[in-house]
Amino acid sequence: MNQPALSPVVTLQRSRLTLPSQVAYDLVRVPPGTGAGNRPSLLGSGRFAKVFAAQQTIVGRESRSVAIKVLHDHADRRAELLFSQEVALNREFASGPLQGVAPILDVIHLGPLVMCGCGTLYHPRCPRGCNLPLQRFDPPTREFPALRCSKCEYELSAEFVHQRGHELHGPRAKPCCTKDDDAFASVGTIVNFVLREAMVMESLDMSLGDYAAYREKQHGTPLGAGERALHYFGMLPPRSRQRMIEQKVRLLEKIHLMVQIAEAVAWLHGEKKVVHKDLAPDNIMIRHAPGDLRGAAFADEPLTRQLDQAANLCTEICVIDFGLSDKETLTRSWYEDADTSMATTKLPYLSPEARHRRQVIGCQLDFDAPQSRFRVPDSLEQSAASIYEHDLIADPHDYLHERDIVIQKIDGQPGHRYAYFSGTQPNTNGRHLEIVRPLGEAHDVYALGAIFYYILTGRHDQVDALSHLVGSLQDQPCRLDRVSLSRRDNYGNRCKSIREPFWRDELMLVILRAMVRGRPESFVRDRTVRGPRPAQRFLTELKRIQHGLIAEVFAERGHVRAAYVRCAVAATVIGALLGGACKLSRSQDQPQPQPSVNAPAESVKVNPGR
């Protein structure tokens, strides 16, 4: 990785970073607690990076809120490479019109930076008293960068910053609070460990998880089937009708958010040829968070206010965090297995190939070197993610991945299939080899379905329960339609978990068609499907529901008149049926005329024959 030049590019003034371009950034400070001192305001923290709140000031313009994203102090060079790829992608996005992606405002080269408890930002000096600023050092035999003193060769590696990071905010390392008896002599927070790139982005209001928590507080009691029947005939009390319209508008806002997310993913897959690979609620931000009351001018007209809210949905989404993304060619970049297995907010949104991205083969592979192929073991063929083209067969001890072989074609009948590969046959025992499955557009589409269900339910555990239903539908297939799914265990519970009791079956069909693969109704045939078509199909179905719900909401203005017509028609039909029933009953109750006993017998003439 090419490191930025070590020349100073940032001037530190108290809590301000000033660039040569007359752009300044003031880090937002958290008010000091008891003995804690000042610290920078942390907006969020992920697997690779952290985000601080700041104010950007440009000469001649008003300041604005921004977010500065930097790598974690303990990040290694692999994380730095992924971060550089993310910076490059965001720069490419910013070169043209954006579709649901957070805009990048600036990229700065940020050196070692610590905030003292008194609020002063400083470049740490040698803790041994050399009074020289520490500089980045890249040990040739280690994966972690380090800070080093050019005089005494003091060294602090990013690998051990958790244990020794306090050395950077001791009294000898800072220009302020240098006396041992100063209140903040040993208090400080590392903002940036070594010289690295930092991204400046627009500050957004809340994450999708925060939005779900916000809507959870507003959740009311859903209407029952009886109340909806009363509403159909215009007999629902005004308060209940208002509550029903509020729930429909809330559902419309959720679908509006999901349409934007689907549009962003379709744009990434289509125009940009980018696979995000890390779609989850914590990587989707929302701009213009919804307020408790909108349209205050219509407070005395609830229906008008609700229709105005439905017509002016002002929430916008931004997809963030492209550190693991791939452009055109799929790569191995992904979390370590331990990271995803323990992340409760990540696991429910992982596709089968992501959950089983690396799998030990566990048996000897029968290689046919002249034909560059091997027989696919039954255990591998029957595994959750199976084996497909472009999968890798790798030696887990080959850390540089120089001996990976790539599956080019799979041929033969089930039970006797062969995988043809490119590359050199590995020399190691096949039992120690592993299969590595790349994550493509199908993985993103699976996440779309899971995220939509999270928006509708507001709970990660419900998404996890949905994944069990998806797994059973994958193992025991059926048609993905309302009639067939209603016979499956747990489908009814998953429908009822959707907060608003409208369009539940239609919403579940879109979700399951995104997550279940290989059925005629599925959006994805298998995990090897490339291109934007699956995301576009998801978006099309979602917009169909959106348009239907919009029509329902705005039909409420003329609902009372329509309900009167329904009542009149129903009364007419019922009256006609009752009238017909009464006539039939009277006709059955009238006595039938009986033949007279004294009536003369009918004479019978007998023809004696001829």
Side-chain angles (χ1 to χ4, degrees), residues 14-79:
R14 185 64 177 169
S15 60
R16 168 171 287 198
L17 312 174
T18 304
L19 306 182
S21 58
Q22 300 303 310
V23 178
Y25 296 98
D26 294 291
L27 290 182
V28 177
R29 293 177 292 176
V30 177
T34 305
N38 291 273
R39 64 183 187 276
S41 175
L42 187 66
L43 295 177
S45 179
R47 171 68 179 85
F48 298 107
K50 52 188 176 180
V51 182
F52 293 104
Q55 287 288 325
Q56 183 191 61
T57 303
I58 303 176
V59 175
R61 302 182 188 177
E62 293 185 1
S63 64
R64 61 173 171 176
S65 298
V66 296
I68 299 179
K69 183 175 182 178
V70 298
L71 282 171
H72 280 304
D73 309 328
H74 58 269
D76 57 10
R77 284 199 282 269
R78 173 178 170 271

Side-chain angles (χ1 to χ4, degrees), residues 451-462:
I451 290 171
F452 190 22
Y453 194 68
Y454 173 73
I455 293 175
L456 295 172
T457 61
R459 294 173 54 179
H460 296 295
D461 59 341
Q462 292 292 347

Side-chain angles (χ1 to χ4, degrees), residues 307-326:
L307 295 181
D308 178 71
Q309 182 178 350
N312 297 281
L313 299 175
C314 61
T315 49
E316 298 179 7
I317 66 96
C318 284
V319 179
I320 63 171
D321 201 349
F322 290 84
L324 297 173
S325 302
D326 290 332

Side-chain angles (χ1 to χ4, degrees), residues 41 136 197 200 219 507 526 544 609:
S41 175
R136 175 171 178 141
E197 289 179 318
V200 181
H219 175 63
L507 295 171
D526 56 55
R544 182 183 60 81

Side-chain angles (χ1 to χ4, degrees), residues 237-459:
R239 287 189 177 181
S240 297
R241 184 188 175 207
Q242 181 180 347
R243 178 160 54 93
M244 185 204 69
I245 299 174
E246 285 177 353
Q247 291 176 349
K248 284 190 175 182
V249 172
R250 190 177 305 132
L251 177 61
L252 183 60
E253 188 174 76
K254 294 178 178 180
I255 295 176
H256 175 68
L257 284 178
M258 196 60 221
V259 165
Q260 293 180 74
I261 298 172
E263 286 175 339
V265 174
W267 176 75
L268 288 171
H269 290 182
E271 289 191 28
K272 297 301 178 180
K273 306 278 191 298
V274 170
V275 182
H276 189 281
K277 294 171 60 175
D278 198 15
L279 290 173
D282 58 346
N283 284 335
I284 298 172
M285 302 296 292
I286 296 179
R287 185 190 292 118
H288 306 308
D292 290 324
L293 291 175
R294 275 186 287 182
F298 307 107
D300 56 338
E301 302 178 37
L303 177 59
T304 305
R305 175 174 56 83
Q306 290 165 342
L307 295 181
D308 178 71
Q309 182 178 350
N312 297 281
L313 299 175
C314 61
T315 49
E316 298 179 7
I317 66 96
C318 284
V319 179
I320 63 171
D321 201 349
F322 290 84
L324 297 173
S325 302
D326 290 332
K327 183 174 176 61
E328 296 184 354
T329 304
L330 302 182
T331 68
R332 301 174 60 114
S333 60
W334 186 239
Y335 293 103
E336 295 297 327
D337 294 340
D339 297 329
T340 55
S341 62
M342 298 179 64
T344 56
T345 59
K346 290 283 188 187
L347 193 59
Y349 307 92
L350 300 184
S351 63
E353 60 268 24
R355 297 182 185 222
H356 305 278
R357 191 184 72 90
R358 295 174 58 185
Q359 177 185 347
V360 177
I361 295 176
C363 63
Q364 185 70 38
L365 292 181
D366 184 14
F367 281 99
D368 182 355
Q371 298 193 51
S372 297
R373 68 177 187 176
F374 63 86
R375 186 177 178 276
V376 178
D378 293 340
S379 59
L380 186 58
E381 187 171 355
Q382 298 170 5
S383 62
S386 191
I387 180 172
Y388 287 95
E389 296 176 2
H390 308 301
D391 288 349
L392 305 177
I393 304 297
D395 179 359
H397 302 293
D398 177 21
Y399 300 109
L400 299 179
H401 312 305
E402 295 176 340
R403 298 189 297 274
D404 291 354
I405 62 175
V406 183
I407 306 300
Q408 300 294 340
K409 183 179 69 171
I410 297 178
D411 195 12
Q413 299 298 323
H416 297 280
R417 297 205 301 167
Y418 286 88
Y420 293 82
F421 61 88
S422 62
T424 305
Q425 175 183 333
N427 297 323
T428 185
N429 187 337
R431 292 180 180 273
H432 302 297
L433 295 176
E434 64 181 8
I435 182 172
V436 180
R437 301 176 172 98
L439 307 180
E441 287 87 346
H443 169 69
D444 280 356
V445 173
Y446 183 97
L448 280 179
I451 290 171
F452 190 22
Y453 194 68
Y454 173 73
I455 293 175
L456 295 172
T457 61
R459 294 173 54 179

Side-chain angles (χ1 to χ4, degrees), residues 116 125 131 170-186:
C116 177
R125 301 172 182 174
N131 205 31
R172 293 185 176 182
K174 58 178 65 173
C176 56
C177 304
T178 56
K179 296 181 180 180
D180 293 336
D181 57 351
D182 286 339
F184 304 114
S186 299

